[in-house]
Every structure is written in structure tokens, then in C-alpha cells.
Amino acid sequence: MYQYDAFDRQFVRTRAAQFRDQLRRHLDGRLPEDDFRALRLQNGWYVQRHAPMLRIAVPYGELSSRQLHQLARIAREFDRRDEGLPTARGGFGHFTTRQNLQFNWIPLAQAADVMDRLAEVDMHGIQTSGNCIRNITTDALAGIAPDEVVDPRPYAELLRQWSTLHPEFAFLPRKFKIAITGAADDRAATGWHDIGLKLKRDADGRVGFEVAVGGGMGRTPIVGRVIAAFVPWQEILLYIEAIVRVYNRYGRRDNLYKSRIKILVKAEGQHFADAVNDEYRAIVAHDGGEHRIPQAELDRVAACFADPAAAADERPAPADDREMPLAYRRWLERNVHAHRLSGHRAVTLSLKRAGQAPGDVTADQMDRAAELATRFSHGELRVTHDQNLLLPWVPQRELHALWLAARECGFATPNIGLLTDLIACPGGDFCGLANARSIPVAAAITERFDDLDRLYDIGDIDLHLSGCINSCGHHHSGHIGILGVDKDGAEWYQVTLGGGDGSVLGGEAAPGKVIGPSFAADEVADVVEALIETYRRERRSGERFADAVRRLGPAPFRAAADAVRHATAGVAA
């Protein structure tokens, strides 16, 4: 993991002190809400439906045990629920699809105290909101995946340092998101980001980036288009500067719904790419090498991501001849992943189980996960794109012991990549922007598909659920996508089929297609079941759900969903 030095620590502590002063002046009435709003947003503080919400940056998803223990303490001491609210909960955190953590019940008057607690463990909420460059995300298997070409984490860290409080890009037309991958399989969903970066090597072994621009979900789902096939790594900050500078200059500020860079890229096409490349050439011509990334700086940052010293001594475990219980075999199949180091595995701690919303963890569960990381993974965890936690450095010989310990903590559900490993935003239970609730719908689907034999028969499938068109649950990229909409004050849900995130299992990056009018909340689980049963009836041997949808087209699935609507209407009549 990246290790903060004296400068980094002074930076986040100074920022926390600045926020304390801003908050004090606001609470005293000297800083009006309209002026304070931009300041709190750039430190990660929202005002949601019932209470303030804090979004904490977890850069490219890496967490230490020490940091997670501190987050647990913050949850216990500050995340206090209001018992008078119908959806009141507290003392927990929520991991998001962009590898951050959110708290939903911290009183604003205590916000500065929380920022100080975060700074104690080298954490903050800087630029987790606002019209600026947000948290840089990457593959949760970065640095350990067997198919990795180049470790993206040092470059992600350099991007983070470059973009944090960048004076030219602090007030962009709209929020801006960057994802980076260094693997053959794009597990970072780069096509769905404002900028998607793929590390490559040319014929001579030199490292560079393929650059795609203009991806995004929301009202207009668009997959990013490649505008540069190979940018040398030394110049990637210059190229990104050119992109963001062109966007800052020409992006729409007069219309919120047309303000994202994807709209500019779609409208201008090749003209946008030409403008970026012209700006890039001008920057390079006048730079004189001053702002290229020096080899020494890359080496300094990359040294932080060296393998744990003890990992090099690990040897492959002998074959386990014990008769393994079915639950353990399923866990090995679904939650345990290949590793580039012999004798090691990466292990997902599932945060998808009955009784809790996807991505939610209580304070006690945070402590337990941190303890597992200390015992089995050299004190390191990763937050995944799918709202789970991952232990990246597990010795193969420790897998059985880890399984037993994870079961005791509730983290060993063997459902990774299956239907109940769904992702969802907090929805209308918390978010002031949401049109509908996500958590009850997710719970109904999880309850409906609680039989592991059935889940394993269904196989790999991505189900994504958003409570509004802002798409925080990434419904567009789900094999099955569910979008909450408002109809005359009632909650309804639109269903899409055939989306993909760009990974091998997720399929080609593409938005799903709507399969007809929306459904009432109590119909959604029935609709999902109808879609699944259609697949099970029509599939070929070994054919996955996403492949069957592409082969069959939407017609049989739409008919199955319509049958649910008609049956419900008949019962109502």
C-alpha cells in the first residue's frame, strides 16, 4: 500500500483543520449554507434524505487493517441513528461501487471531529464529491492478478496526487471519474468512466496507456471511445490534462443533464479527439520535460506496492487430502481467486447475505474483517467494484482456517458472481435524489434465491439495482438491470437486459435494453424469477445467462416478464 510521508500527513491534517474552521463559522451563522455547501461537498459531506452522509475516499480500493479498525470506531462513536425515523439504522458503513465507504448518520456538528479521526489513519473525504476529479478506481486484483500486464496502482497513486486540489480542475462542469486497469481482463469497468485507462506494452516492451473518453451512465448511458492507442506512461498526466482542459473549456454549464463529458464527446466526435490531441501536443511542446513523470518518482511510489516481505517466502501448499465439505468446496470455487505468486490466493469476503443491504457492514463486522486481514493477509484489504471486501495475500495453506474464521464472521457466503452477489445503491431509504427504494427490492430478490443449489445451477450473472437515473447501482451494466422510477408518487421499477461492464464474465461494455413498461415493487422478484426460469428452459449446455440473452434476443424474456404483470393485474381484478 502507499505509505504517507510527513508531507501527506500534514496535507490531510491541514485540510481537516480548514474544514473545522469552515464548519464552526457555518454553525455560528457567519458562513451561509450556499457558501458552505461547496466546501463541505469537496470534503465528502452531503445532506441526504434524513441526515448528513459522509463519503470517505479509499484510493483505488486499498485499505489497511488499522484504517478499517478506525472506520469501525467512527461508526460506533458517531454514526448514530435517529430512532424516530422509519428507516433508522446506525453504527454501520456502506461500501460503494466506486470503492469508497459511506456513513449515513453522522450529525453535521460532529463532522470536524470525524475528519480528525480519519486524518489520524491517513484518510479523508477530499474530492469524493463536487465537480472535480473523484476517487481513482482500479481492479481489486491489481498487483496480484495472473493476467496483469502492468500493476496499475503506482499510476493510480500518481493520478491521485496530481488531481487532488488541482487548481485548474476544482470546478469542472460536472463530476469526473477515472478508472485504470493493467490486466488483460478489464475488471475495472473502464469503458463506463469519463476517462478509462488501460496499461499496455508495445512491441519493444515499453509501457503506455490506451485512453478512452466519454463513458458514463445516468440518463444517457454511453461507453467511452478510444482516442489514443498508446500514450507513454511518462506523459499520461499531460494527456489527461489535455482532456480535462478541453472539457473544462467546452463542457456544458448551462444544462445539468448535458454537463458530463460524455455529452461533449458524443456531440463533437472526432472534433473532440482532435482538440485533445492538439492541446496535448501544445503542452508537450512547451513543457520541456518539466511535468513528465520522472522515473525516480514512479520508482518512489512503486516501492510502496512491493509484495509483503513474508510473501516471498511462502511455498505452495501440499494437496489437502481431507474430504472437504460441500460448503468449503463451494467457497473455494466462488470466493477464492488465482494469484500471480505461487502458494497464494486472493479471497473475497462476501458482504451479500440475508438481513443486510449489499455492501453494508456493521462496526463489529468491520473489526472482524480487519482482524482477518491482520491474521491472513499481511494487514491489507481491498474494496471491490461489486461492494465486497477482498484479502489479497492469503497463503494457500491457510485457506481452510480462513474459511472457518470467515464463517464465524458471516463473510463466507459462497455466492461471488452469482445472482445474490447483486450490487445496489442505498436508494430512497437514504438518498435524497432517489426515486425509489433499493434495499427492500434487493432483500426480496435475495430471499427468493436463497437456495445455493439453485444459484449454482443458474451460474454467473450480474444483477445491478439503482434507486434513480443517476445510476449509482450501475444498473445499465447489469445482465439484469433494475432502475427505480417515480410515477405519480409511487415506486416503480424498470427492467433492462443484456448490459455488460467490459470484463470477461461481465461481457462487452454495453447498456442493457429496456424490456417494457415498469413494474410495481412487489412484482420485481417475480419478474427476476421469470427471467431466470426462461433462461433455464431455453439455455444450451454450458451457456451462461448473458450469452443466452444475446442469442435469444429480448422477446422470450419480455414475454415472461409481461406474464408476471398480467398475472398480477388478474389477481388485482
Side-chain angles (χ1 to χ4, degrees):
M1 291 182 61
Y2 179 72
Q3 301 299 314
Y4 271 35
D5 59 19
F7 174 86
D8 296 313
R9 292 195 174 93
Q10 182 61 35
F11 178 86
V12 296
R13 292 178 182 185
T14 299
R15 185 71 170 180
Q18 290 172 341
F19 181 74
R20 179 176 291 280
D21 177 66
Q22 294 160 356
L23 177 64
R24 182 186 300 114
R25 287 187 288 126
H26 171 65
L27 296 176
D28 289 348
R30 292 176 288 149
L31 186 62
E33 172 58 30
D34 287 346
D35 296 330
F36 179 62
R37 181 175 181 271
L39 299 174
R40 64 171 168 77
L41 285 174
Q42 288 199 353
N43 284 284
W45 287 94
Y46 292 72
V47 174
Q48 295 286 71
R49 188 178 297 275
H50 301 299
M53 182 270 281
L54 169 62
R55 181 180 295 144
I56 299 164
V58 184
Y60 36 91
E62 287 202 335
L63 270 175
S64 69
S65 295
R66 175 171 172 256
Q67 289 173 328
L68 191 53
H69 278 307
Q70 184 79 328
L71 294 174
R73 284 192 285 271
I74 291 171
R76 285 193 188 91
E77 295 177 23
F78 296 96
D79 189 66
R80 303 294 180 82
R81 64 185 182 271
D82 184 338
E83 298 290 357
L85 294 174
T87 58
R89 291 187 296 163
F92 73 100
H94 173 78
F95 288 107
T96 76
T97 54
R98 298 206 75 253
Q99 301 176 300
N100 293 311
L101 178 78
Q102 295 177 177
F103 288 121
N104 290 280
W105 297 102
I106 298 177
L108 189 61
Q110 297 179 322
D113 295 332
V114 173
M115 303 310 278
D116 287 340
R117 295 292 183 90
L118 291 173
E120 289 174 3
V121 292
D122 305 336
M123 299 190 78
H124 57 78
I126 299 170
Q127 291 185 196
T128 57
S129 183
N131 294 334
C132 53
I133 297 174
R134 301 281 186 91
N135 188 35
I136 311 297
T137 60
T138 189
D139 178 4
L141 295 175
I144 60 174
D147 69 331
E148 190 166 82
V149 179
V150 181
D151 186 348
R153 294 173 298 165
Y155 302 96
E157 175 59 28
L158 289 168
L159 278 168
R160 184 194 70 82
Q161 294 185 19
W162 169 80
S163 62
T164 300
L165 302 189
H166 194 302
E168 186 175 352
F169 305 138
F171 298 97
L172 296 171
R174 197 73 171 87
K175 59 186 177 181
F176 202 89
K177 301 174 181 179
I178 300 175
I180 175 173
T181 183
D185 184 9
D186 183 4
R187 291 177 290 266
T190 59
W192 286 110
H193 287 74
D194 297 285
I195 295 178
L197 301 173
K198 294 183 180 181
L199 278 156
K200 296 187 171 185
R201 290 186 184 273
D202 67 10
D204 296 320
R206 291 172 296 198
V207 175
F209 291 86
E210 177 186 277
V211 182
V213 183
M217 297 191 183
R219 294 177 182 273
T220 309
I222 299 174
V223 176
R225 56 172 290 183
V226 175
I227 65 169
F230 191 86
V231 176
W233 68 265
Q234 297 92 335
E235 298 180 359
I236 190 59
L237 298 185
L238 304 181
Y239 199 85
I240 293 175
E241 181 172 342
I243 294 171
V244 186
R245 187 173 287 177
V246 170
Y247 170 54
N248 206 20
R249 187 183 307 154
Y250 298 113
R252 296 283 297 269
R253 284 183 163 86
D254 61 327
N255 187 324
L256 180 67
Y257 303 115
K258 297 182 178 180
S259 58
R260 296 292 294 269
I261 194 173
K262 63 184 179 181
I263 303 300
L264 181 63
V265 174
K266 182 180 180 181
E268 297 298 326
Q270 187 58 41
H271 292 298
F272 176 87
D274 291 343
V276 168
N277 287 310
D278 288 346
E279 183 70 27
Y280 169 58
R281 284 189 288 268
I283 292 172
V284 170
H286 291 90
D287 177 65
E290 182 180 354
H291 294 100
R292 291 174 175 85
I293 302 172
Q295 182 67 54
E297 181 62 7
L298 177 63
D299 292 344
R300 180 189 72 84
V301 173
C304 296
F305 300 99
D307 298 346
D313 298 327
E314 193 63 42
R315 296 292 180 264
D320 190 345
D321 294 326
R322 291 176 299 175
E323 183 176 343
M324 297 184 296
L326 177 60
Y328 181 49
R329 296 200 306 270
R330 282 175 162 169
W331 181 80
L332 289 174
E333 175 187 348
R334 282 287 159 183
N335 296 47
V336 178
H337 318 287
H339 202 291
R340 65 171 176 80
L341 287 185
S342 177
H344 286 79
R345 295 293 185 269
V347 176
T348 298
L349 304 179
S350 177
L351 302 186
K352 315 296 174 56
R353 62 282 198 204
Q356 284 187 244
D360 277 10
V361 280
T362 66
D364 286 346
Q365 288 167 338
M366 285 188 232
D367 276 333
R368 299 295 83 75
E371 290 164 4
L372 292 178
T374 299
R375 179 180 172 188
F376 295 104
S377 188
H378 299 285
E380 184 181 330
L381 307 96
R382 310 276 179 86
V383 183
T384 76
H385 166 72
D386 297 320
Q387 297 176 286
N388 292 307
L389 293 174
L390 181 136
L391 303 181
W393 302 103
V394 179
Q396 186 178 348
R397 58 180 170 78
E398 296 278 11
L399 286 175
H400 191 264
L402 171 56
W403 174 65
L404 293 174
R407 286 181 70 187
E408 292 180 3
C409 303
F411 295 135
T413 308
N415 64 343
I416 303 305
L418 300 177
L419 184 62
T420 56
D421 186 26
L422 59 87
I423 65 176
C425 68
D429 284 317
F430 297 96
C431 180
L433 300 176
N435 295 316
R437 292 173 296 168
S438 300
I439 295 172
V441 174
I445 294 169
T446 299
E447 182 178 351
R448 182 69 60 91
F449 294 91
D450 65 346
D451 183 273
L452 278 174
D453 290 332
R454 188 183 183 197
L455 279 178
Y456 274 71
D457 178 68
I458 295 167
D460 294 301
I461 185 168
D462 292 339
L463 191 150
H464 299 172
L465 172 58
S466 298
C468 77
I469 199 62
N470 286 296
S471 313
C472 294
H474 294 190
H475 64 278
H476 290 299
S477 65
H479 299 150
I480 299 175
I482 301 172
L483 167 65
V485 296
D486 178 277
K487 287 188 177 183
D488 299 323
E491 295 176 326
W492 291 79
Y493 296 85
Q494 189 180 81
V495 177
T496 58
L497 274 182
D501 60 14
S503 66
V504 169
L505 291 178
E508 181 181 353
K513 305 294 184 183
V514 178
I515 60 167
S518 53
F519 297 89
D522 59 2
E523 295 175 324
V524 175
D526 291 333
V527 170
V528 172
E529 184 164 30
L531 298 176
I532 295 300
E533 291 308 309
T534 301
Y535 157 66
R536 295 177 77 186
R537 184 178 64 250
E538 301 290 342
R539 66 186 172 184
R540 294 172 175 170
S541 177
E543 187 175 42
R544 294 179 304 170
F545 179 87
D547 299 322
V549 170
R550 282 190 285 271
R551 176 176 61 84
L552 295 168
F557 298 96
R558 182 184 297 118
D562 285 343
V564 171
R565 183 185 292 109
H566 296 152
T568 305
V571 170

